[in-house]
């Protein structure tokens, strides 16, 4: 069966659009993607229907009185938000989706369900027992996660396991390889930072200074704070292909965001995770799950004191490919799991 899927991609970062792109590449899925702004269409390719929504913040909206414990996360009022939802409803009426996949907004999930569409809501790691998330899980016909079920919180499965589906990360296990030798003869650690935030330079400088036998290289944003950098710390900034730099390192240190973890896993190198602060403790919970299931070493945050020489030695000694083993499924398995989730979502909506 060919499924018509409308995919709502939240505008924070680019990860939500990357998930939509994976669906666009699958046979058997006719895709509509809705996100904020025209320019985000440039991050997608292939045949799909893109809906450029107006922003949900700005002078035409008033945030309203949202408090901790409220049943919604963000519900502004005003003509801008009214047009945003009216446009979304018109797009659905034109496209006629079988399922609306929401990645991720409690408010959009509720709106889609009340508009008469079967809804699949994305499950993300973290502490998500607040009223708003519970509402989304209740009204959704299916819940989907882009990680294996082995990494799920048992307390979620106890309540919503009957409607939760785990698609995994489509990918293949990297071939064994040796790191590239650093010019200084040191071993190399490659730090991958996310696009959404930056690591303070003072923390990187302190880590490098504490482990002079390592060459530290950083690919991504760094929070410049005037700190003098030790000679074994190199800042490359945002690089076009961080995968090549990671594959050449003895050890990769990565944030614990979904796409960052997948990229680190694809490198085939030993990996250590240092989660960045996110709402609901998303990255911290994901890193802890990977530590518990796959033995991936982690540090709670860059602000946490660390014995860097000891920590690096332990991390570099972990099994190459352990992270990939914990995350990756074949593209065919991913497609089959998605199809099963869409079928279950449709069945639940009309049951």
């Amino acid at each position: 069966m060919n499924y018509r899927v409308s995919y709502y991609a939240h505008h924070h970062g680019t990860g939500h659009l990357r998930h939509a792109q994976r669906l666009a590449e699958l046979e058997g899925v006719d895709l509509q993607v809705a996100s904020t702004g025209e320019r985000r269409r440039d991050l997608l390719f292939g045949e799909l229907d893109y809906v450029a929504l107006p922003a949900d913040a700005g002078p035409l909206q008033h945030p309203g009185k949202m408090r901790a414990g409220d049943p919604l996360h963000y519900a502004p009022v005003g003509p801008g938000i009214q047009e945003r939802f009216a446009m979304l409803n018109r797009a659905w009426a034109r496209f006629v989706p079988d399922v609306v996949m929401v990645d991720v907004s409690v408010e959009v999930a509720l709106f889609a369900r009340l508009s008469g569409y079967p809804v699949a809501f994305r499950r993300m790691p973290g502490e998500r027992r607040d009223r708003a998330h519970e509402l989304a899980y209740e009204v959704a016909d299916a819940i989907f996660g882009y990680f294996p079920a082995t990494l799920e919180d048992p307390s979620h499965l106890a309540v919503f396991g009957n409607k939760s589906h785990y698609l995994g990360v489509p990918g293949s296990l990297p071939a064994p390889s040796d790191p590239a030798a650093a010019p200084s003869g040191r071993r190399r650690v490659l730090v991958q930072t996310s696009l959404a935030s930056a690591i303070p330079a003072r923390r990187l400088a302190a880590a490098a200074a504490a482990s002079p036998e390592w060459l530290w290289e950083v690919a991504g944003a760094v929070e410049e704070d005037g700190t003098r950098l030790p000679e074994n710390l190199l800042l490359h900034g945002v690089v076009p292909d961080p995968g090549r730099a990671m594959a050449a390192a003895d050890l990769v240190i990565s944030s614990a965001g979904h796409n960052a973890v997948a990229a680190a896993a694809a490198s085939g190198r030993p990996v250590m995770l240092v989660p960045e602060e996110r709402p609901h403790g998303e990255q911290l919970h994901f890193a802890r799950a990977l530590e518990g299931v796959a033995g991936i070493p982690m540090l709670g945050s860059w602000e946490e004191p660390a014995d860097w020489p000891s920590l690096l030695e332990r991390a570099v000694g972990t099994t190459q490919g352990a992270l990939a083993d914990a995350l990756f499924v074949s593209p065919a398995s991913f497609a089959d799991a998605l199809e099963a989730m869409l079928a279950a979502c449709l069945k639940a909506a009309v049951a």
Side-chain angles (χ1 to χ4, degrees):
M1 172 179 176
N2 247 43
Y3 288 96
R4 296 180 66 79
V5 174
S6 183
Y7 197 96
Y8 175 82
H10 194 276
H11 52 265
H12 180 75
T14 60
H16 306 286
L17 283 178
R18 293 183 192 181
H19 293 304
Q21 182 59 55
R22 289 192 185 101
L23 270 60
E25 297 165 15
L26 296 176
E27 294 182 1
V29 175
D30 297 325
L31 190 66
Q32 177 185 73
V33 178
S35 194
T36 301
E38 294 282 355
R39 288 188 299 174
R40 291 174 69 80
R41 177 63 178 91
D42 297 338
L43 300 175
L44 300 165
F45 56 89
E47 301 247 346
L48 54 86
D49 174 14
Y50 181 74
V51 181
L53 299 174
D56 62 2
L60 295 181
Q61 278 83 254
H62 302 283
K65 297 178 180 178
M66 304 303 294
R67 297 171 297 273
D70 279 357
L72 298 174
H73 285 144
Y74 182 66
V77 297
I81 201 72
Q82 292 159 15
E83 176 56 22
R84 178 181 174 87
F85 277 100
M87 183 182 294
L88 190 54
N89 201 280
R90 290 194 297 268
W92 288 334
R94 172 174 50 80
F95 185 73
V96 193
D98 296 308
V99 173
V100 175
M101 293 179 67
V102 181
D103 179 10
V104 62
S105 163
V106 171
E107 295 73 32
V108 170
L110 183 60
F111 180 66
R113 197 65 187 87
L114 291 175
S115 297
Y117 298 98
V119 171
F121 187 78
R122 182 182 173 191
R123 165 72 175 164
M124 296 177 70
E127 181 56 56
R128 300 180 188 272
R129 298 177 185 173
D130 55 277
R131 288 180 66 196
H133 274 105
E134 293 277 327
L135 175 61
Y137 296 153
E138 289 285 358
V139 303
D141 301 292
I143 300 167
F144 64 98
Y146 289 123
F147 53 89
T150 52
L151 298 176
E152 181 57 279
D153 181 347
S155 67
H156 173 85
L157 293 174
V159 181
F160 298 108
N162 64 323
K163 64 165 71 174
S164 295
H165 303 258
Y166 298 91
L167 311 184
V169 181
S172 57
L173 299 181
S177 63
D178 295 321
S184 61
R186 295 176 169 122
R187 285 177 294 178
R188 306 167 69 164
V189 54
L190 191 286
V191 181
Q192 173 188 220
T193 72
S194 72
L195 294 176
S197 62
I199 302 170
R202 61 185 172 82
R203 290 300 177 189
L204 291 165
S211 50
E213 67 279 12
W214 287 81
L215 175 64
W216 286 69
E217 300 181 79
V218 183
V222 172
E223 183 184 308
E224 300 285 359
D225 52 17
T227 299
R228 184 176 179 179
L229 304 182
E231 55 85 21
N232 64 324
L233 175 59
L234 304 178
L235 306 182
H236 298 301
V238 178
V239 298
D241 185 8
R244 291 182 61 184
M246 285 190 282
D250 292 271
L251 173 67
V252 172
I253 297 179
S254 176
S255 68
H258 181 279
N259 288 300
V261 169
S267 74
R269 311 311 304 158
V271 177
M272 173 181 160
L273 300 176
V274 183
E276 297 173 356
E277 188 173 345
R278 289 291 186 275
H280 310 288
E282 173 192 330
Q283 291 200 13
L284 180 60
H285 280 74
F286 196 37
R288 285 175 174 166
L290 286 165
E291 182 182 42
V293 169
I296 306 303
M298 63 165 288
L299 181 68
S301 78
W302 283 99
E303 300 296 328
E304 185 176 310
D307 178 353
W308 280 104
S310 175
L311 196 56
L312 294 174
E313 286 297 335
R314 182 168 68 88
V316 79
T318 55
T319 305
Q320 292 189 28
L323 185 56
D325 279 333
L327 284 178
F328 288 163
V329 298
S330 71
S333 294
F334 178 84
D336 289 346
L338 175 69
E339 182 177 1
M341 184 276 291
L342 294 172
C345 185
L346 275 170
K347 182 178 179 180
V350 299

